[in-house]
Amino acid sequence: MAGREPEIITEKNQMRKWSRAMRAKGETIGLVPTMGYLHEGHISLIKEAHKRTSLIVVSIYVNPGQFSPTEDLSTYPSDFHSDIRKLMAVPGGVDVVFHPHNLYDYGKSKTTGLKNGGGSSNCENSSGGVDGEVEKKGVMSCVEERGLGHETWVRVERLEKVMCGKSRPVFFRGVATVVTKLFNIVEPDVAVFGKKDYQQWRIIQRMVRDLDFSIEVIGSDVMRDNDGLALSSRNVHLSPEEREKALSISKSLLRAKFSAEKGQVNCRELRNLVTQAVDKAGGRIDYAEIVDQESLEAVEEIKSPVVFCIAAWFGKGTSPRQSP
Amino acid sequence: MAGREPEIITEKNQMRKWSRAMRAKGETIGLVPTMGYLHEGHISLIKEAHKRTSLIVVSIYVNPGQFSPTEDLSTYPSDFHSDIRKLMAVPGGVDVVFHPHNLYDYGKSKTTGLKNGGGSSNCENSSGGVDGEVEKKGVMSCVEERGLGHETWVRVERLEKVMCGKSRPVFFRGVATVVTKLFNIVEPDVAVFGKKDYQQWRIIQRMVRDLDFSIEVIGSDVMRDNDGLALSSRNVHLSPEEREKALSISKSLLRAKFSAEKGQVNCRELRNLVTQAVDKAGGRIDYAEIVDQESLEAVEEIKSPVVFCIAAWFGKGTSPRQSP
C-alpha cells in the first residue's frame, strides 16, 4: 500500500528552513541518517523515530568522508527511486528525504595547498587533489582525495581507535563529521542509529555528550533476515553460497550467547566458539571482540554488560560485515 | 555610568532554554566568547555584536581544553566581579553572562582507561588522570590531565598546524572544541571574535563552514592601548619595563606596513624589519610570518592580501604575545 510521497530536499539552506518552520509550529523532528539502498533495518529505525517525534526526516547520502580511496565508495549500492517507494510504504510515512548532492561543496573557496595525488582510486569523480600531509600520516578519505578543501573533522579519540577503527582509520572520523553536519543542517530533536553498527552508535552518543548537542540519540536493535543474517545494504554483494557461509556469524554468535547465558564468563572461550565457526566457513575475520558496552574496551571475563562485536569478510566484497 | 546588570547563567540547560525562549519571541542572539579579565578589546567585540543582533550573550570561561599542562592555566588572570561591572558599563548592555563551572563535567559517566600521570602540572584541580595514548603522541590538554572522560575534539587539520599551532599543539583543538560546545549550548545567530587572534578567527570561520553551523562569524579589528600595544588579558603579567620593550612589536609592524605600502613586496625584507627590532628589544620570537589571509600559508612575495602574524615572549610570562 503506497502512502504519501515525502518532500525531497537537496539544498542545505532549504532543509534548515523547513526544520525551523516546523519547530516554530511546535512540531518535533526525528532524523534517520542513511546512505540509501534501504532495507527493513532502515525502516525499523524510522519506526523508532515515529514513537518519539511528530515529523521524520530521512537523509540519503553516501558520505565520501568515511571512505578511504581504497574502499568501496564507487561500488556502494544505490537505487534512489526504489528507496522513495519503500519510504512511501512506511506506516505513518516520512515527511522529508534530505538528499544533498555534495555536503562538502562550499562554492568558490580556495583549496590551496593541495597536491596532485595520482594512482588509482575508488572515489567517484576524483579530481586528483591530495593533501600530502594527511596522506603521509596514512589518514585520508575520499574528501581529501577529491581536493574539496574541507579540513574540519570531529574525532572521538578513544572510541574511534578500536575494532572497526583499526582497519578503517578514516571511517569514524568521517561518520562523526558527517553526522555533525547533518545535525547542524537538519537540527533534529531525536536521531536514530542502528545497533548493527554498535561502535558507530556509541561514538555518536559520546560525541553528542561531549559537544553538547541538544539531540537525543536512540540505538535501535539489529534487524535480521529470516535466515538470521543481519540486514545490510552490502549484503547485495554476496552470492547465495557466500550468504550461506556468512550465516556462520549469526549462528555462532547465537551459540556464544546461549553459552554465556548458561554461565560461561571466559571471553576467550566464547570468542573461540565464534572465530572457529567463521574460519571454518571460509570467512576472513577483521576482528572478533567481547567489549564493555560503554567503553568498548576488550573484556577477559564477563562481569558487567558486554557486547560481542565481529567484522568478517566473505566473498570478494571490499568491506567487512559487522554484526553485534 | 552603570547600566543594567546582566543575568548570570551557569547551567548549560538553562542557557539553551533562555536562548530558545528568546528566539521564539523573534529575538536574535549574538555571542561573544571570552575567558574573562575583560578589557576594551572585549568591549569592542560586544559593540560589534550589538550592530547585528537584538540580544547579547558574553561567555566567561577559562577553557582547560586549550591549555597544555605545561602552560599557564593556573595563573591565567581572572576577576569576575570586575568583569560584571565592566559589562554593565557597555552601551546597550549585555543580556546574559554565561559562566559555567566546568563545561567538561558530564555527571556519572565512566572514565575508564585513564592512567595515573604523575609529574608536575599547571592544570588547576588536577586529579592526576592521564590518557596514556594521547600523552604518547605529545598532544594532551588539561582536560585529559584532569581525567574528565571527555574525548571528542574538533580539528581544523590544516589551519591548526601553522604558526601558534606549532608551539601549542593542543591549543586550536581546544578552541575549536569549546567554541563548538558554546555554539551548541547558546545557539547564537552571530559570534564575534577578535582579529588579534587572527589564526583563531580564521579557524573558527573554517570550522563553521565545514561543519555547516548556521552562525555568522564576525572578525573584529585589533584594539590597541594608547602606546600601541595590542590589548590582551595577559598584558597584566608585564612589568612597565617589559611593556616598553614589547612595544617593539607594534612599532616595527607599523614600519613594515608603511614599507609594504610604499612598494616593498619582499617578505623576507619585511620580516627582518620586525624580527630585528623585537630581537634587539630582548623579545624571544615564537614565529614571525607573512601569510595569505585565507590559507595562512607563508608568502614570499606579496601578490594578494596578506597578514603579518607574530608571537613573541617578553619577561617571564609563560605565553607568547601575538599581534597581527
Side-chain angles (χ1 to χ4, degrees), chain A residues 173-314:
Chain A
R173 184 188 78 150
V175 168
T177 302
V178 82
V179 170
T180 294
K181 288 165 74 72
L182 289 169
F183 283 179
N184 283 341
I185 295 165
V186 178
E187 298 182 343
D189 301 282
V190 169
V192 187
F193 294 83
K195 289 189 190 171
K196 175 177 76 73
D197 306 308
Y198 193 90
Q199 187 177 5
Q200 171 177 283
W201 168 55
R202 286 301 194 188
I203 281 176
I204 299 300
Q205 272 192 325
R206 179 57 50 95
M207 175 188 92
V208 161
R209 185 200 72 169
D210 285 357
L211 298 184
D212 292 305
F213 278 103
S214 172
I215 295 169
E216 187 188 1
V217 174
I218 305 295
S220 188
D221 286 339
V222 185
M223 289 289 287
R224 296 184 182 278
D225 242 327
N226 290 336
D227 59 6
L229 193 69
L231 293 178
S232 165
S233 302
R234 287 185 174 107
N235 288 353
V236 70
H237 295 313
L238 294 171
S239 70
E241 295 74 26
E242 287 160 359
R243 191 183 161 96
E244 182 59 34
K245 289 173 180 168
L247 290 177
S248 59
I249 298 177
S250 51
K251 285 178 181 165
S252 61
L253 276 176
L254 208 57
R255 281 204 302 280
K257 184 164 176 270
F258 287 149
S259 174
E261 281 167 356
K262 276 189 280 178
Q264 175 61 274
V265 295
N266 183 318
C267 292
R268 194 156 48 85
E269 296 294 333
L270 292 167
R271 272 211 325 276
N272 283 345
L273 216 152
V274 171
T275 56
Q276 283 167 8
V278 173
D279 263 347
K280 202 177 151 195
R284 182 158 58 81
I285 294 170
D286 185 26
Y287 63 84
E289 291 188 27
I290 297 172
V291 299
D292 179 85
Q293 285 193 2
E294 201 182 326
S295 73
L296 303 187
E297 283 173 14
V299 164
E300 286 179 24
E301 199 181 298
I302 300 176
K303 291 173 187 163
S304 57
V306 296
V307 57
F308 196 134
C309 295
I310 176 168
W313 306 64
F314 284 89

Side-chain angles (χ1 to χ4, degrees), chain A residues 7 16-29 54-55 95-96:
Chain A
E7 182 176 350
R16 189 182 285 116
K17 204 173 151 189
W18 181 89
S19 288
R20 292 192 173 185
M22 293 303 135
R23 195 190 298 274
K25 288 192 215 168
E27 306 280 2
T28 54
I29 298 165
S54 60
L55 299 176
D95 298 281
V96 166

Side-chain angles (χ1 to χ4, degrees), chain A residues 11 57-58 71 102 114 116 138 171 182 191 210 237 239 314 321 324:
Chain A
E11 298 301 322
V57 176
V58 172
E71 290 175 341
N102 180 355
L114 299 173
N116 250 358
F171 182 64
L182 289 169
D210 285 357
H237 295 313
S239 70
F314 284 89
R321 294 234 334 94

Side-chain angles (χ1 to χ4, degrees), chain B residues 107-233:
Chain B
K108 283 174 300 185
S109 64
K110 290 188 195 176
T111 57
T112 50
L114 297 174
K115 294 164 195 109
N116 249 357
S120 69
S121 162
N122 290 317
C123 303
E124 297 155 318
N125 309 319
S126 171
S127 66
V130 168
D131 175 353
E133 191 149 9
V134 176
E135 191 187 32
K136 209 164 53 193
K137 295 192 305 185
V139 179
M140 185 180 75
S141 73
C142 286
V143 166
E144 284 104 346
E145 221 257 354
R146 290 178 185 181
L148 291 171
H150 175 101
E151 60 165 315
T152 308
W153 299 96
V154 179
R155 313 284 302 253
V156 183
E157 293 193 350
R158 198 186 303 270
L159 294 181
E160 75 171 17
K161 287 191 177 63
V162 299
M163 299 199 289
C164 281
K166 284 183 190 160
S167 58
R168 304 187 72 188
V170 306
F171 182 64
F172 290 117
R173 184 188 78 149
V175 168
T177 302
V178 82
V179 170
T180 294
K181 289 164 74 73
L182 289 170
F183 282 180
N184 283 340
I185 295 165
V186 178
E187 299 182 342
D189 301 282
V190 169
V192 187
F193 294 82
K195 290 189 191 172
K196 175 177 76 72
D197 305 309
Y198 193 89
Q199 187 176 6
Q200 171 177 283
W201 168 56
R202 287 301 195 186
I203 282 175
I204 298 300
Q205 272 193 325
R206 180 57 50 93
M207 177 189 89
V208 162
R209 185 200 72 169
D210 285 358
L211 298 184
D212 292 304
F213 278 104
S214 173
I215 294 168
E216 187 187 2
V217 174
I218 304 295
S220 188
D221 285 339
V222 186
M223 289 289 287
R224 295 182 182 281
D225 242 328
N226 290 335
D227 59 7
L229 194 68
L231 293 177
S232 166
S233 303

